[in-house]
């Protein structure tokens, strides 16, 4: 396994009767989730059909494209952003992911891209989200003015539901290139569908390796996902209503952003499956190691006992020696001959021990090495863990009714009835 869950001071939990009972229940939940055909994310690691479909669409696009502009938000953007920023070295095209409507950013991108060499990929499962739709109107116009309608239409790929929604209607009417978001996969679980697969594959990422990693986790790593879910559930019930992800890797930082959406939208719910008002869900917080040791750790160590910590560390890193400059200078000499990797590991260990000394509950995910397979494993691991945790809470982890009201009000303010 390239990902190991180290329970550190919580290792004793494994012998706890309550933990064992919950763990067994969690394994049953995981199996139930994987068997349920209305839940589609669990099927994705076992098929490369979307990779093939992405390749087929790519072949139909004009030659000489050097930029892909993704217009999408939330689950339609965060997965591709996470993989793109982790594997920049594999990209053979620029992959721009616009997931905001800040006019400043829109203007910056408009100035930068060359429409002739750019493909627009509009991604929206519902096909009606205001952000990608407004962005699409803008960039369509920009392209049309410069290239004319015919050339513009050749540079558009729509990723949306196979039959439903406005974008599907438009794609059909204008005969645009399109890909589907499977009906049974929600946005935040969709990185291994064309939502993530097309932009990544088109820009040079070998997405089959992501699938391979996810498949491997599905076969061999259920215990890690279930252990994580049990601990999330147990510590939430013990009043730890904040979960801090402390990620000691710049490359993995966006994994944290992706996970925060998954965690928040899946597990933050007002009612349970029986209709009881429960108002449940921990708050996810992201911290970057070592940077945020110097901004957040004071609170984590001495502040309220309301947090559960998950640390992430990469064992094998590119190593860079800290040279012996100023070697004679007493205050700096302890760094002679050390590497940045050693420094980062020591700081990670130091922070964990300092928190443990204060009895703060903490677990550590050790990633042997970052590669596409390990990323695929992380994706499936945390999707499954989140779903299983939702089952412990007895809530539906696959809906997000709370997001709707704000959207409706915003649309009304813009004159939509
Ligand atoms: O893919 P879309 O339908 O455009 O949805 C994009 C995002 O919109 C919403 O706000 C939901 O809360 C997210 O779960 C979703 O990922």
């Amino acid at each position: 396994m390239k990902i190991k869950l180290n329970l550190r001071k919580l290792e004793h939990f494994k012998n706890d009767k309550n933990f064992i009972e919950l763990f067994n229940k969690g394994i049953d939940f995981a199996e139930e989730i994987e068997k349920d055909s209305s839940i589609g994310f669990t099927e994705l690691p076992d098929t490369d059909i979307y990779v093939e479909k992405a390749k087929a669409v790519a072949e139909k696009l004009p030659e000489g494209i050097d930029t892909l502009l993704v217009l999408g938000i939330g689950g339609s953007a965060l997965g591709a952003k996470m993989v793109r920023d982790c594997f920049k070295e594999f990209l053979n095209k620029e992959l721009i992911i616009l997931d905001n409507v800040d006019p400043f950013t829109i203007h910056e991108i408009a100035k930068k891209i060359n429409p002739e060499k750019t493909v627009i990929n509009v991604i929206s499962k519902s096909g009606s989200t205001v952000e990608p739709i407004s962005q699409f109107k803008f960039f369509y116009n920009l392209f049309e003015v410069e290239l004319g309608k015919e050339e513009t239409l050749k540079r558009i790929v729509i990723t949306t539901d196979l039959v439903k929604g406005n974008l599907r209607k438009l794609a059909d009417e204008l005969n645009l290139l399109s890909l589907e978001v499977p009906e049974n996969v929600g946005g935040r679980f969709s990185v291994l569908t064309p939502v993530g697969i097309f932009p990544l594959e088109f820009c040079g990422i070998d997405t089959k390796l992501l699938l391979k990693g996810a498949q491997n986790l599905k076969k061999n790593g259920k215990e890690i996902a279930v252990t994580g879910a049990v601990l999330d559930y147990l510590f939430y019930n013990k009043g730890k209503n904040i979960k801090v992800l402390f990620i000691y890797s710049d490359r993995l930082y966006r994994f944290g952003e992706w996970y925060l959406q998954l965690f928040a939208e899946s597990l933050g719910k007002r009612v349970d499956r029986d209709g009881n008002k429960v108002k449940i869900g921990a708050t996810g917080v992201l911290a970057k190691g070592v940077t945020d040791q110097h901004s957040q750790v004071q609170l984590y160590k001495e502040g309220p006992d309301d947090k559960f910590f998950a640390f992430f560390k990469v064992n094998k890193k590119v190593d860079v020696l800290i040279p012996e400059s100023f070697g004679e200078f007493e205050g700096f000499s302890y760094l002679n001959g050390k590497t940045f990797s050693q420094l980062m590991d020591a700081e990670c260990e130091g922070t964990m021990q300092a928190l443990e000394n204060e009895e703060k509950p903490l677990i550590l995910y050790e990633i042997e090495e970052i590669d596409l397979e390990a990323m695929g494993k992380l994706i499936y691991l945390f999707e499954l863990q989140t779903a299983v945790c939702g089952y412990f809470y007895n809530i539906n982890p696959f809906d997000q009714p709370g997001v709707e009201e704000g959207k409706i009000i915003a649309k009304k303010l813009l004159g939509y009835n």
Side-chain angles (χ1 to χ4, degrees), residues 363-384:
I363 57 174
L364 168 67
Y365 290 91
E366 289 183 66
I367 297 139
E368 198 38 46
E369 191 177 3
I370 298 182
D371 57 21
L372 284 159
E373 282 187 57
M375 176 57 82
K377 285 179 186 176
L378 279 175
I379 290 170
Y380 193 80
L381 169 61
F382 284 93
E383 286 178 345
L384 185 64

PDB file of all heavy atoms in Angstrom, residues 363-384:
ATOM      1  N   ILE A 363      -4.371  11.633  13.945  1.00  0.00           N
ATOM      2  CA  ILE A 363      -3.942  10.478  13.144  1.00  0.00           C
ATOM      3  C   ILE A 363      -3.079  10.986  11.991  1.00  0.00           C
ATOM      4  O   ILE A 363      -3.123  12.175  11.653  1.00  0.00           O
ATOM      5  CB  ILE A 363      -5.147   9.666  12.580  1.00  0.00           C
ATOM      6  CG1 ILE A 363      -6.080  10.547  11.749  1.00  0.00           C
ATOM      7  CG2 ILE A 363      -5.891   8.972  13.703  1.00  0.00           C
ATOM      8  CD1 ILE A 363      -7.198   9.790  11.058  1.00  0.00           C
ATOM      9  N   LEU A 364      -2.307  10.053  11.411  1.00  0.00           N
ATOM     10  CA  LEU A 364      -1.374  10.450  10.345  1.00  0.00           C
ATOM     11  C   LEU A 364      -1.546   9.551   9.123  1.00  0.00           C
ATOM     12  O   LEU A 364      -1.478   8.326   9.229  1.00  0.00           O
ATOM     13  CB  LEU A 364       0.064  10.325  10.874  1.00  0.00           C
ATOM     14  CG  LEU A 364       1.190  10.426   9.851  1.00  0.00           C
ATOM     15  CD1 LEU A 364       1.277  11.826   9.245  1.00  0.00           C
ATOM     16  CD2 LEU A 364       2.540  10.058  10.494  1.00  0.00           C
ATOM     17  N   TYR A 365      -1.797  10.185   7.973  1.00  0.00           N
ATOM     18  CA  TYR A 365      -1.786   9.446   6.708  1.00  0.00           C
ATOM     19  C   TYR A 365      -0.389   9.572   6.112  1.00  0.00           C
ATOM     20  O   TYR A 365       0.065  10.687   5.850  1.00  0.00           O
ATOM     21  CB  TYR A 365      -2.814  10.020   5.730  1.00  0.00           C
ATOM     22  CG  TYR A 365      -4.241   9.751   6.160  1.00  0.00           C
ATOM     23  CD1 TYR A 365      -4.929  10.666   6.956  1.00  0.00           C
ATOM     24  CD2 TYR A 365      -4.891   8.575   5.794  1.00  0.00           C
ATOM     25  CE1 TYR A 365      -6.234  10.420   7.373  1.00  0.00           C
ATOM     26  CE2 TYR A 365      -6.195   8.328   6.209  1.00  0.00           C
ATOM     27  CZ  TYR A 365      -6.865   9.249   6.991  1.00  0.00           C
ATOM     28  OH  TYR A 365      -8.145   8.995   7.396  1.00  0.00           O
ATOM     29  N   GLU A 366       0.274   8.426   5.948  1.00  0.00           N
ATOM     30  CA  GLU A 366       1.605   8.460   5.336  1.00  0.00           C
ATOM     31  C   GLU A 366       1.502   8.005   3.893  1.00  0.00           C
ATOM     32  O   GLU A 366       1.107   6.863   3.624  1.00  0.00           O
ATOM     33  CB  GLU A 366       2.546   7.531   6.094  1.00  0.00           C
ATOM     34  CG  GLU A 366       2.914   8.055   7.460  1.00  0.00           C
ATOM     35  CD  GLU A 366       3.908   7.140   8.159  1.00  0.00           C
ATOM     36  OE1 GLU A 366       5.046   7.016   7.684  1.00  0.00           O
ATOM     37  OE2 GLU A 366       3.502   6.528   9.164  1.00  0.00           O
ATOM     38  N   ILE A 367       1.829   8.906   2.996  1.00  0.00           N
ATOM     39  CA  ILE A 367       1.798   8.570   1.572  1.00  0.00           C
ATOM     40  C   ILE A 367       3.230   8.267   1.172  1.00  0.00           C
ATOM     41  O   ILE A 367       4.122   9.117   1.332  1.00  0.00           O
ATOM     42  CB  ILE A 367       1.210   9.752   0.760  1.00  0.00           C
ATOM     43  CG1 ILE A 367      -0.245   9.973   1.224  1.00  0.00           C
ATOM     44  CG2 ILE A 367       1.254   9.489  -0.734  1.00  0.00           C
ATOM     45  CD1 ILE A 367      -0.630  11.379   1.372  1.00  0.00           C
ATOM     46  N   GLU A 368       3.462   7.041   0.717  1.00  0.00           N
ATOM     47  CA  GLU A 368       4.827   6.631   0.444  1.00  0.00           C
ATOM     48  C   GLU A 368       5.480   7.567  -0.568  1.00  0.00           C
ATOM     49  O   GLU A 368       6.566   8.071  -0.360  1.00  0.00           O
ATOM     50  CB  GLU A 368       4.815   5.176  -0.061  1.00  0.00           C
ATOM     51  CG  GLU A 368       6.107   4.434  -0.006  1.00  0.00           C
ATOM     52  CD  GLU A 368       6.962   4.725   1.238  1.00  0.00           C
ATOM     53  OE1 GLU A 368       6.397   4.724   2.349  1.00  0.00           O
ATOM     54  OE2 GLU A 368       8.174   4.987   1.082  1.00  0.00           O
ATOM     55  N   GLU A 369       4.757   7.821  -1.670  1.00  0.00           N
ATOM     56  CA  GLU A 369       5.301   8.685  -2.714  1.00  0.00           C
ATOM     57  C   GLU A 369       4.112   9.242  -3.498  1.00  0.00           C
ATOM     58  O   GLU A 369       3.138   8.530  -3.719  1.00  0.00           O
ATOM     59  CB  GLU A 369       6.171   7.822  -3.645  1.00  0.00           C
ATOM     60  CG  GLU A 369       6.987   8.618  -4.595  1.00  0.00           C
ATOM     61  CD  GLU A 369       7.898   7.736  -5.445  1.00  0.00           C
ATOM     62  OE1 GLU A 369       7.842   6.492  -5.309  1.00  0.00           O
ATOM     63  OE2 GLU A 369       8.634   8.308  -6.251  1.00  0.00           O
ATOM     64  N   ILE A 370       4.208  10.480  -3.944  1.00  0.00           N
ATOM     65  CA  ILE A 370       3.089  11.022  -4.721  1.00  0.00           C
ATOM     66  C   ILE A 370       3.245  10.637  -6.178  1.00  0.00           C
ATOM     67  O   ILE A 370       4.197  11.037  -6.841  1.00  0.00           O
ATOM     68  CB  ILE A 370       3.015  12.560  -4.616  1.00  0.00           C
ATOM     69  CG1 ILE A 370       2.771  12.983  -3.181  1.00  0.00           C
ATOM     70  CG2 ILE A 370       1.880  13.091  -5.507  1.00  0.00           C
ATOM     71  CD1 ILE A 370       2.632  14.466  -2.995  1.00  0.00           C
ATOM     72  N   ASP A 371       2.319   9.842  -6.666  1.00  0.00           N
ATOM     73  CA  ASP A 371       2.214   9.594  -8.102  1.00  0.00           C
ATOM     74  C   ASP A 371       0.734   9.477  -8.423  1.00  0.00           C
ATOM     75  O   ASP A 371      -0.116   9.597  -7.528  1.00  0.00           O
ATOM     76  CB  ASP A 371       3.030   8.363  -8.529  1.00  0.00           C
ATOM     77  CG  ASP A 371       2.629   7.104  -7.777  1.00  0.00           C
ATOM     78  OD1 ASP A 371       1.501   7.061  -7.226  1.00  0.00           O
ATOM     79  OD2 ASP A 371       3.426   6.150  -7.727  1.00  0.00           O
ATOM     80  N   LEU A 372       0.424   9.252  -9.704  1.00  0.00           N
ATOM     81  CA  LEU A 372      -0.998   9.264 -10.087  1.00  0.00           C
ATOM     82  C   LEU A 372      -1.782   8.141  -9.407  1.00  0.00           C
ATOM     83  O   LEU A 372      -2.954   8.314  -9.059  1.00  0.00           O
ATOM     84  CB  LEU A 372      -1.126   9.171 -11.610  1.00  0.00           C
ATOM     85  CG  LEU A 372      -0.805  10.491 -12.320  1.00  0.00           C
ATOM     86  CD1 LEU A 372      -0.445  10.271 -13.773  1.00  0.00           C
ATOM     87  CD2 LEU A 372      -1.990  11.453 -12.219  1.00  0.00           C
ATOM     88  N   GLU A 373      -1.125   7.009  -9.213  1.00  0.00           N
ATOM     89  CA  GLU A 373      -1.838   5.912  -8.535  1.00  0.00           C
ATOM     90  C   GLU A 373      -2.163   6.281  -7.091  1.00  0.00           C
ATOM     91  O   GLU A 373      -3.263   6.002  -6.604  1.00  0.00           O
ATOM     92  CB  GLU A 373      -1.000   4.638  -8.569  1.00  0.00           C
ATOM     93  CG  GLU A 373      -1.058   3.961  -9.919  1.00  0.00           C
ATOM     94  CD  GLU A 373      -0.358   2.609  -9.890  1.00  0.00           C
ATOM     95  OE1 GLU A 373      -0.729   1.738  -9.060  1.00  0.00           O
ATOM     96  OE2 GLU A 373       0.574   2.453 -10.694  1.00  0.00           O
ATOM     97  N   ALA A 374      -1.204   6.908  -6.428  1.00  0.00           N
ATOM     98  CA  ALA A 374      -1.453   7.309  -5.037  1.00  0.00           C
ATOM     99  C   ALA A 374      -2.597   8.334  -4.992  1.00  0.00           C
ATOM    100  O   ALA A 374      -3.451   8.301  -4.092  1.00  0.00           O
ATOM    101  CB  ALA A 374      -0.197   7.896  -4.415  1.00  0.00           C
ATOM    102  N   MET A 375      -2.637   9.230  -5.977  1.00  0.00           N
ATOM    103  CA  MET A 375      -3.725  10.215  -6.030  1.00  0.00           C
ATOM    104  C   MET A 375      -5.072   9.512  -6.219  1.00  0.00           C
ATOM    105  O   MET A 375      -6.056   9.849  -5.568  1.00  0.00           O
ATOM    106  CB  MET A 375      -3.438  11.204  -7.169  1.00  0.00           C
ATOM    107  CG  MET A 375      -4.513  12.227  -7.412  1.00  0.00           C
ATOM    108  SD  MET A 375      -4.926  13.256  -5.987  1.00  0.00           S
ATOM    109  CE  MET A 375      -3.649  14.488  -6.039  1.00  0.00           C
ATOM    110  N   GLY A 376      -5.100   8.513  -7.109  1.00  0.00           N
ATOM    111  CA  GLY A 376      -6.330   7.751  -7.328  1.00  0.00           C
ATOM    112  C   GLY A 376      -6.783   7.072  -6.040  1.00  0.00           C
ATOM    113  O   GLY A 376      -7.981   7.023  -5.717  1.00  0.00           O
ATOM    114  N   LYS A 377      -5.809   6.587  -5.282  1.00  0.00           N
ATOM    115  CA  LYS A 377      -6.148   5.942  -4.000  1.00  0.00           C
ATOM    116  C   LYS A 377      -6.734   6.946  -3.026  1.00  0.00           C
ATOM    117  O   LYS A 377      -7.730   6.675  -2.350  1.00  0.00           O
ATOM    118  CB  LYS A 377      -4.889   5.322  -3.379  1.00  0.00           C
ATOM    119  CG  LYS A 377      -4.457   4.060  -4.057  1.00  0.00           C
ATOM    120  CD  LYS A 377      -3.203   3.504  -3.433  1.00  0.00           C
ATOM    121  CE  LYS A 377      -2.748   2.322  -4.263  1.00  0.00           C
ATOM    122  NZ  LYS A 377      -1.499   1.746  -3.826  1.00  0.00           N
ATOM    123  N   LEU A 378      -6.107   8.114  -2.960  1.00  0.00           N
ATOM    124  CA  LEU A 378      -6.618   9.137  -2.036  1.00  0.00           C
ATOM    125  C   LEU A 378      -8.060   9.496  -2.391  1.00  0.00           C
ATOM    126  O   LEU A 378      -8.904   9.676  -1.510  1.00  0.00           O
ATOM    127  CB  LEU A 378      -5.766  10.406  -2.137  1.00  0.00           C
ATOM    128  CG  LEU A 378      -4.451  10.424  -1.367  1.00  0.00           C
ATOM    129  CD1 LEU A 378      -3.685  11.705  -1.673  1.00  0.00           C
ATOM    130  CD2 LEU A 378      -4.681  10.323   0.141  1.00  0.00           C
ATOM    131  N   ILE A 379      -8.320   9.615  -3.697  1.00  0.00           N
ATOM    132  CA  ILE A 379      -9.668   9.996  -4.139  1.00  0.00           C
ATOM    133  C   ILE A 379     -10.690   8.971  -3.652  1.00  0.00           C
ATOM    134  O   ILE A 379     -11.662   9.299  -2.977  1.00  0.00           O
ATOM    135  CB  ILE A 379      -9.713  10.124  -5.687  1.00  0.00           C
ATOM    136  CG1 ILE A 379      -8.902  11.354  -6.135  1.00  0.00           C
ATOM    137  CG2 ILE A 379     -11.156  10.206  -6.194  1.00  0.00           C
ATOM    138  CD1 ILE A 379      -8.662  11.445  -7.638  1.00  0.00           C
ATOM    139  N   TYR A 380     -10.450   7.721  -3.970  1.00  0.00           N
ATOM    140  CA  TYR A 380     -11.450   6.704  -3.605  1.00  0.00           C
ATOM    141  C   TYR A 380     -11.526   6.528  -2.082  1.00  0.00           C
ATOM    142  O   TYR A 380     -12.614   6.379  -1.508  1.00  0.00           O
ATOM    143  CB  TYR A 380     -11.147   5.371  -4.295  1.00  0.00           C
ATOM    144  CG  TYR A 380     -12.335   4.438  -4.184  1.00  0.00           C
ATOM    145  CD1 TYR A 380     -13.420   4.581  -5.040  1.00  0.00           C
ATOM    146  CD2 TYR A 380     -12.405   3.464  -3.194  1.00  0.00           C
ATOM    147  CE1 TYR A 380     -14.539   3.776  -4.922  1.00  0.00           C
ATOM    148  CE2 TYR A 380     -13.521   2.647  -3.070  1.00  0.00           C
ATOM    149  CZ  TYR A 380     -14.573   2.799  -3.934  1.00  0.00           C
ATOM    150  OH  TYR A 380     -15.698   2.002  -3.815  1.00  0.00           O
ATOM    151  N   LEU A 381     -10.360   6.581  -1.452  1.00  0.00           N
ATOM    152  CA  LEU A 381     -10.319   6.405   0.010  1.00  0.00           C
ATOM    153  C   LEU A 381     -11.238   7.415   0.710  1.00  0.00           C
ATOM    154  O   LEU A 381     -12.071   7.051   1.546  1.00  0.00           O
ATOM    155  CB  LEU A 381      -8.874   6.586   0.488  1.00  0.00           C
ATOM    156  CG  LEU A 381      -8.615   6.693   1.985  1.00  0.00           C
ATOM    157  CD1 LEU A 381      -9.069   5.444   2.706  1.00  0.00           C
ATOM    158  CD2 LEU A 381      -7.141   6.919   2.264  1.00  0.00           C
ATOM    159  N   PHE A 382     -11.097   8.689   0.323  1.00  0.00           N
ATOM    160  CA  PHE A 382     -11.863   9.700   1.049  1.00  0.00           C
ATOM    161  C   PHE A 382     -13.308   9.786   0.579  1.00  0.00           C
ATOM    162  O   PHE A 382     -14.182  10.194   1.347  1.00  0.00           O
ATOM    163  CB  PHE A 382     -11.114  11.037   1.049  1.00  0.00           C
ATOM    164  CG  PHE A 382      -9.983  10.976   2.040  1.00  0.00           C
ATOM    165  CD1 PHE A 382      -8.710  10.596   1.633  1.00  0.00           C
ATOM    166  CD2 PHE A 382     -10.218  11.192   3.377  1.00  0.00           C
ATOM    167  CE1 PHE A 382      -7.676  10.464   2.558  1.00  0.00           C
ATOM    168  CE2 PHE A 382      -9.197  11.064   4.314  1.00  0.00           C
ATOM    169  CZ  PHE A 382      -7.923  10.696   3.907  1.00  0.00           C
ATOM    170  N   GLU A 383     -13.583   9.391  -0.654  1.00  0.00           N
ATOM    171  CA  GLU A 383     -14.985   9.316  -1.080  1.00  0.00           C
ATOM    172  C   GLU A 383     -15.704   8.241  -0.268  1.00  0.00           C
ATOM    173  O   GLU A 383     -16.788   8.468   0.281  1.00  0.00           O
ATOM    174  CB  GLU A 383     -15.073   9.005  -2.576  1.00  0.00           C
ATOM    175  CG  GLU A 383     -14.706  10.195  -3.456  1.00  0.00           C
ATOM    176  CD  GLU A 383     -14.734   9.887  -4.951  1.00  0.00           C
ATOM    177  OE1 GLU A 383     -14.768   8.687  -5.338  1.00  0.00           O
ATOM    178  OE2 GLU A 383     -14.699  10.828  -5.739  1.00  0.00           O
ATOM    179  N   LEU A 384     -15.068   7.071  -0.184  1.00  0.00           N
ATOM    180  CA  LEU A 384     -15.715   5.975   0.545  1.00  0.00           C
ATOM    181  C   LEU A 384     -15.839   6.305   2.033  1.00  0.00           C
ATOM    182  O   LEU A 384     -16.890   6.092   2.653  1.00  0.00           O
ATOM    183  CB  LEU A 384     -14.923   4.666   0.336  1.00  0.00           C
ATOM    184  CG  LEU A 384     -15.560   3.431   0.939  1.00  0.00           C
ATOM    185  CD1 LEU A 384     -16.909   3.111   0.275  1.00  0.00           C
ATOM    186  CD2 LEU A 384     -14.639   2.200   0.808  1.00  0.00           C
TER     187      LEU A 384
END
